[in-house]
Amino acid sequence: MSRKEMDELGWDACDVILVTGDAYIDHPSFGMALVGRLLEAHGFRVGIISQPDWQSAEPFRALGKPRLYFGITAGNMDSLVNRYTSDRKIRSEDAYTPDAEAGRRPDRAVTVYAQRAREAFPDANIVIGSIEASLRRIAHYDYWSDKVRRSVLPDSKADMLLFGNAERALVALTKRLAVGEPIEAIRDLRGTAFMVKPGWLPSAAWHETDSLALDRPGRIDAHPDPYAMEPAAAAPKPTADGAQPVRIVPAAERVAARRVDRAHTVIRLPSFEQVKDDAVMYAHASRVFHLESNPGNARAMVQRHGEGPGARDVWINPPPQPLSTPEMDFVYGRPYARAPHPAYGGARIPAWDMIKFSINIMRGCFGGCTFCSITEHEGRIIQSRSHESILREIEDIRDKSPDFKGHITDLGGPTANMYRMACKSKAIEENCRRLSCVYPGICENLNTDHSSLVELYRKARALPGVKRITIGSGLRYDLAVRSPEYVKELVTHHVSGLLKIAPEHTEENTLSKMMKPGIGAYEEFRRMFEKFSAQAGKKQHLVPYFIAAHPGTTDEDMLNLALWLKKHDFRLDQVQTFLPTPMALATTMYHSRKNPLKKVSADSEAVETARAGKIRKLHKAFLRWHDPENWPILREGLMRMGRADLIGNGPNCLVPRQQPVQPVAKGGRPPAASSRRPPGDGRAPCAPFGRKNGKPAAKRAPRSGR
């Protein structure tokens, strides 16, 4: 991290210099450590510039010019998500900075850092990556500026973008640069994107297909038969007079031909100029982009930026192939110090405090939730570590962490219980084009066996020095209920008293836009959770997470969710309003008001969304129905909705008619409003749930899962 450290190591220069918006913590949960240790293992000298002052290029000269390239990242989080709330308010703290100091990284950090690195060394290679770059690799809607922005590539002036967990591309790129291959000649690495001249193709064998020809008017294209695995028959020879006999082409040969064709096809997405001005074209481009996300059958994509002589294409190669278990073990088995760099002294780094005793056992997620960016970044195929690798890391924590008291705080990942889950057939997996393996129902080809995870939990508990292991990652409860043994193991041994799960909503109208299961799956899991907690003699609780103002959510949907929360006496402390992150399908709904889960056209399904600040505040207030500070906006909303029957002091009311009377302290202000229910005021009670103005409410259509 400094010239002094380079001198101590005897280095005259670094091969690679990584620039990050986070504090440098040498732990595999932090991208810089993972990437740095991986490159080190392959013999490269790695320098790290952490949270540089971006006001000038001088901090980017601190370690000199890298021999191969600058690797630029905003850090573990998108810099705008890190800095701003869903209401676009500036956060007061940055969890990835010493002492949580805010303002230590710029907005759109990847672009700013790349530009400064270019200014410091104009002839250096610039490679960008991380989640911020991944989610901005094509033209995308930017919530913070409320407009469609260009790909991050032309803005950053980078030579190459690595998207996803790009270990393979990273190592291959570095080795090829090390032997003298110019970066502009490296165009065949999966998981990379770069700028090319309009009309460029890798070779004469390639051809271009317009995305409009794929998604209009019928299905995307014929699905290859995954079961047609017989070898292709030899072509018949012509007769003596030169005539060609008629022959039936076997299915396997047709499949093989389609695969060859797909491997040499690039899909042209609508240009930046088109999607910027046409919401329908934006939704169409998003739909095609997500349908080309399976590494087994994805095609390259290209999108033009600019018009006239200055136009350039952003070329995006297919996604990287997922790492095998031995490869995952290698990446996570490097000699991490498992501590912040000594340069930070005793400064507290909240993100480090949170994960210092947690372990990543897998990556990826096949849930496909439309509001989440994990799938776009890490992919749908689960990549799991071996038991041996995970147990060795637990032992490393035990033996090398002086403040370890025996409590492992997580064995998880994006989802706690997708460990080692995969499609039952590799052929089916490679040809699948579903956006989710668990929506609208769990795919019959998905292996949902939890036995390996149960075995891992038991092995980990048995390690000497380990007193307790709790699961901190979110749980996919619709998968968990398929294994009562797993739920019993989890509830009996690995819950700290509270377990996080994410139903996100109760109403099918909203859940269908989220691609989440019906609330019935939650109820089934809750019953199992309570049953096994009682058997273990423990008093434990579920902590459900919900989202307000998600695309497709009406005021009535939020009201019904609030009534459900009150019925179950859930008084949520922390709630979240939908935040449109780049490239997510729900963000497409928010911006375009179209549903990219179905075919998109000018007259296709419209998705209305709470965009105005007042409506978003109302939706958020419904989640905290019990908070007196929210009662005024809830009363106003209920009156507007014609639900004044829910305003009152009876047991079936949502909010009371009056604010609680607060005594004023002498010489001071009234105390903060209490969240306790106010006492009755003698007024008539409001109508029971499901009734409107004292009359039975109209029957609703039956909801899935209930």
Side-chain angles (χ1 to χ4, degrees):
M1 280 186 68
S2 68
R3 281 282 190 175
K4 179 182 178 182
E5 291 176 348
M6 289 174 63
D7 293 340
E8 291 173 354
L9 292 167
W11 294 0
D12 58 343
C14 295
D15 296 315
V16 178
I17 295 178
L18 304 175
V19 182
T20 176
D22 293 341
Y24 174 43
I25 301 174
D26 196 32
H27 183 285
S29 290
F30 294 86
M32 280 301 92
L34 189 147
V35 167
R37 291 296 186 184
L38 177 63
L39 290 174
E40 177 192 48
H42 285 273
F44 297 103
R45 296 173 296 182
V46 182
I48 292 181
I49 298 177
S50 169
Q51 298 187 315
D53 181 356
W54 67 93
Q55 303 300 330
S56 75
E58 196 56 35
F60 294 80
R61 299 187 179 103
L63 303 181
K65 178 185 174 182
R67 190 171 67 90
L68 301 178
Y69 61 86
F70 276 105
I72 308 292
T73 167
N76 267 29
M77 284 183 68
D78 182 285
S79 59
L80 292 169
V81 175
N82 179 280
R83 189 179 186 204
Y84 298 95
T85 70
S86 58
D87 297 323
R88 298 189 180 98
K89 295 180 180 179
I90 296 177
R91 300 183 193 274
S92 59
E93 295 186 347
D94 183 343
Y96 292 86
T97 300
D99 293 325
E101 181 184 353
R104 289 288 300 275
R105 77 186 80 209
D107 292 351
R108 312 185 203 286
V110 165
T111 297
V112 175
Y113 289 161
Q115 291 172 347
R116 283 291 187 241
R118 180 72 73 198
E119 182 182 345
F121 298 100
D123 57 342
N125 294 324
I126 306 292
V127 179
I128 58 177
S130 78
I131 192 165
E132 179 167 311
S134 271
L135 300 186
R136 289 169 167 80
R137 57 190 185 263
I138 61 170
H140 56 280
Y141 172 73
D142 182 84
Y143 171 68
W144 298 271
S145 58
D146 193 24
K147 66 180 182 180
V148 176
R149 296 178 68 95
R150 301 192 300 176
S151 163
V152 70
L153 270 167
D155 285 344
S156 66
K157 304 296 191 293
D159 296 291
M160 184 174 288
L161 183 155
L162 304 186
F163 60 87
N165 295 114
E167 286 92 351
R168 281 209 185 94
L170 181 79
V171 172
L173 172 67
T174 311
K175 289 185 174 181
R176 288 169 68 170
L177 291 174
V179 298
E181 192 171 351
I183 195 168
E184 60 270 14
I186 301 175
R187 295 290 184 252
D188 57 343
L189 293 178
R190 297 179 71 101
T192 63
F194 40 83
M195 303 291 291
V196 294
K197 294 180 180 179
W200 177 87
L201 293 173
S203 71
W206 281 71
H207 65 275
E208 183 180 296
T209 297
D210 193 302
S211 64
L212 294 174
L214 300 179
D215 203 39
R216 187 185 295 168
R219 60 185 183 182
I220 293 301
D221 58 9
H223 291 204
D225 182 356
Y227 304 102
M229 303 302 291
E230 67 270 15
K237 297 180 180 180
T239 60
D241 60 0
Q244 287 282 358
V246 175
R247 76 179 183 94
I248 303 300
V249 181
E253 187 175 338
R254 297 197 303 272
V255 170
R258 281 198 295 268
R259 285 179 176 169
V260 171
D261 181 71
R262 292 178 70 86
H264 293 88
T265 300
V266 59
I267 298 172
R268 179 162 291 280
L269 298 173
S271 69
F272 163 68
E273 283 69 25
Q274 287 177 291
V275 300
K276 173 174 66 74
D277 299 325
D278 189 333
V280 172
M281 292 299 282
Y282 182 94
H284 159 79
S286 175
R287 174 173 167 80
V288 172
F289 180 90
H290 284 85
L291 288 170
E292 297 294 332
S293 61
N294 182 348
N297 59 34
R299 289 166 282 193
M301 290 177 283
V302 66
Q303 185 179 53
R304 183 158 302 183
H305 285 61
E307 297 173 330
R312 299 274 283 172
D313 281 349
V314 173
W315 181 285
I316 305 169
N317 278 327
Q321 292 289 351
L323 297 185
S324 65
T325 294
E327 289 170 329
M328 285 281 287
D329 289 352
F330 181 83
V331 169
Y332 284 89
R334 301 304 87 219
Y336 300 98
R338 304 192 69 86
H341 191 275
Y344 302 122
R348 173 180 171 267
I349 305 175
W352 163 240
D353 292 340
M354 183 177 69
I355 59 88
K356 65 195 313 184
F357 302 134
S358 70
I359 294 178
N360 221 346
I361 66 174
M362 46 77 69
R363 66 167 59 146
C365 180
F366 50 70
C369 300
T370 61
F371 52 82
C372 180
S373 300
I374 291 174
T375 297
E376 284 85 351
H377 184 59
E378 296 192 357
R380 291 182 178 83
I381 299 175
I382 303 301
Q383 303 159 71
S384 302
R385 297 168 61 187
S386 68
H387 287 186
E388 293 73 22
S389 172
I390 297 165
L391 297 175
R392 277 196 302 270
E393 186 171 352
I394 296 176
E395 292 173 333
D396 281 346
I397 293 174
R398 179 195 63 194
D399 299 339
K400 297 178 181 178
S401 301
D403 54 344
F404 179 63
K405 306 299 183 184
H407 181 195
I408 297 295
T409 55
D410 193 20
L411 294 178
T415 305
N417 62 320
M418 286 187 183
Y419 180 72
R420 288 194 177 177
M421 291 189 182
C423 190
K424 297 174 182 177
S425 165
K426 190 68 175 176
I428 294 175
E429 179 183 82
E430 290 179 349
N431 288 283
C432 182
R433 296 175 68 80
R434 284 182 60 163
L435 296 176
S436 171
C437 297
V438 290
Y439 184 85
I442 297 175
C443 178
E444 61 182 8
N445 296 309
L446 179 65
N447 174 19
T448 60
D449 183 14
H450 285 70
S451 60
S452 182
L453 187 55
V454 171
E455 182 184 357
L456 173 63
Y457 287 175
R458 291 171 179 170
K459 288 179 179 178
R461 291 202 309 271
L463 288 175
V466 175
K467 301 176 182 178
R468 189 182 187 196
I469 297 175
T470 52
I471 303 305
S473 298
L475 190 78
R476 189 79 194 201
Y477 53 85
D478 52 342
L479 292 172
V481 295
R482 292 200 165 195
S483 175
E485 179 191 21
Y486 169 74
V487 178
K488 183 176 183 179
E489 189 79 15
L490 174 76
V491 170
T492 304
H493 301 287
H494 300 289
V495 175
S496 61
L498 301 174
L499 180 67
K500 296 185 298 184
I501 58 172
E504 308 297 4
H505 217 281
T506 57
E507 304 307 293
E508 182 60 29
N509 179 54
T510 301
L511 292 171
S512 67
K513 304 301 186 297
M514 295 177 167
M515 290 210 299
K516 291 284 290 186
I519 198 65
Y522 163 81
E523 295 289 357
E524 183 179 0
F525 179 79
R526 180 187 59 79
R527 289 191 290 270
M528 295 177 70
F529 179 87
E530 293 175 351
K531 170 186 173 183
F532 293 127
S533 292
Q535 289 180 3
K538 296 183 176 182
K539 189 175 182 179
Q540 302 180 139
H541 304 278
L542 293 175
V543 180
Y545 282 73
F546 297 93
I547 296 179
H550 189 277
T553 306
T554 65
D555 295 353
E556 287 72 21
D557 291 333
M558 290 306 304
L559 170 58
N560 289 333
L561 172 54
L563 294 176
W564 185 90
L565 292 171
K566 185 176 189 298
K567 176 182 177 182
H568 292 83
D569 200 27
F570 278 127
R571 298 173 177 232
L572 309 179
D573 288 326
Q574 294 182 336
V575 299
Q576 57 181 334
T577 308
F578 170 68
L579 173 60
T581 52
M583 203 180 290
L585 285 164
T587 301
T588 298
M589 299 179 197
Y590 179 90
H591 167 63
S592 69
R593 294 180 170 88
K594 291 293 179 181
N595 185 1
L597 302 178
K598 302 176 182 179
K599 285 185 60 62
V600 175
S601 65
D603 56 354
S604 62
E605 178 188 3
V607 180
E608 291 304 322
T609 303
R611 298 173 63 92
K614 188 172 184 179
I615 300 301
R616 286 170 66 86
K617 288 179 181 178
L618 172 63
H619 284 203
K620 187 176 182 179
F622 273 124
L623 291 181
R624 286 182 53 79
W625 56 272
H626 57 279
D627 187 345
E629 291 186 4
N630 291 326
W631 292 346
I633 190 174
L634 287 174
R635 290 191 198 98
E636 180 183 345
L638 290 170
M639 291 290 288
R640 177 175 52 80
M641 295 166 63
R643 295 306 307 267
D645 55 300
L646 294 175
I647 302 173
N649 294 92
N652 292 321
C653 294
L654 187 64
V655 294
R657 297 184 184 279
Q658 297 177 338
Q659 291 293 107
V661 177
Q662 300 290 333
V664 180
K666 185 177 181 180
R669 295 181 177 181
S674 170
S675 62
R676 297 176 59 188
R677 290 192 184 105
D681 62 357
R683 298 175 186 265
C686 59
F689 295 151
R691 298 175 68 87
K692 185 173 181 180
N693 298 326
K695 298 179 181 180
K699 291 185 177 180
R700 300 172 60 93
R703 302 184 183 101
S704 171
R706 287 195 174 184

